[in-house]
Each structure stands twice: as C-alpha cells, then as structure tokens.
Amino acid sequence: MASNGKKKTTMAKLTRESKLRERRLDKAARKDARKRDAADRPAGAPDFGPDADPFAYVPDRMVGALDPLAEAPDAPAEAATPREDA
C-alpha cells in the first residue's frame, strides 16, 4: 500500500488556526490581568468595568451633592416655602 504524501491541510486553514490560537492566548492573558487587578483592589472598591452600574457606588461625601431635592446649604429655610400674605 502506498503512503499518502500529499498535504491535506491548506495554508489558509493553517493560518486561520494559528490566528485562533493567538486570539485565545490574548484572551487568556486579558482574563488573568483582570483577575490580578481584582485581587489588588481593596475590598469594597467600586468596579468600573464595561458592565458596571455607574450609579451603584456613590461615596458618602457625595450623597447630599447628588440629591436633586436637597436644599442648598446657603438657602434660608423660609425661602423654600411660598408666602401666603402676598
């Protein structure tokens, strides 16, 4: 029986497979970098990734600043209510 000396895989397929392996290695490297970053971040720190809710974490010092119904600290209390004698 004669051996098959003909190459059965085209260069295009070999190139595609090579690029796929490279993309998988890049993806694994990015995943490892994210894991290292998460391990370095202190507990309770916000996660500002692409899927993170931008309103989920508000520092305590900013809670009053973001409340639209909060009164300004300089405004007198009587200015907030309408006068009835006018």
Side-chain angles (χ1 to χ4, degrees):
M1 193 170 196
S3 66
N4 244 349
K6 187 174 180 179
K7 187 170 76 168
K8 295 182 180 181
T9 305
T10 64
M11 284 304 295
K13 182 175 181 180
L14 292 172
T15 304
R16 283 193 308 269
E17 291 172 347
S18 173
K19 287 182 180 180
L20 179 62
R21 278 192 301 273
E22 187 175 332
R23 281 195 309 262
R24 287 179 177 166
L25 286 173
D26 289 343
K27 183 178 178 180
R30 286 193 309 268
K31 183 177 179 180
D32 290 340
R34 281 195 309 270
K35 283 184 178 182
R36 282 193 310 271
D37 183 46
D40 293 342
R41 189 178 311 129
D47 178 21
F48 293 114
D51 297 330
D53 181 12
F55 301 106
Y57 175 77
V58 178
D60 291 336
R61 60 185 164 82
M62 294 184 65
V63 170
L66 296 178
D67 188 5
L69 301 176
E71 293 183 23
D74 300 329
E78 66 246 9
T81 60
R83 294 176 47 171
E84 292 184 22
D85 59 54

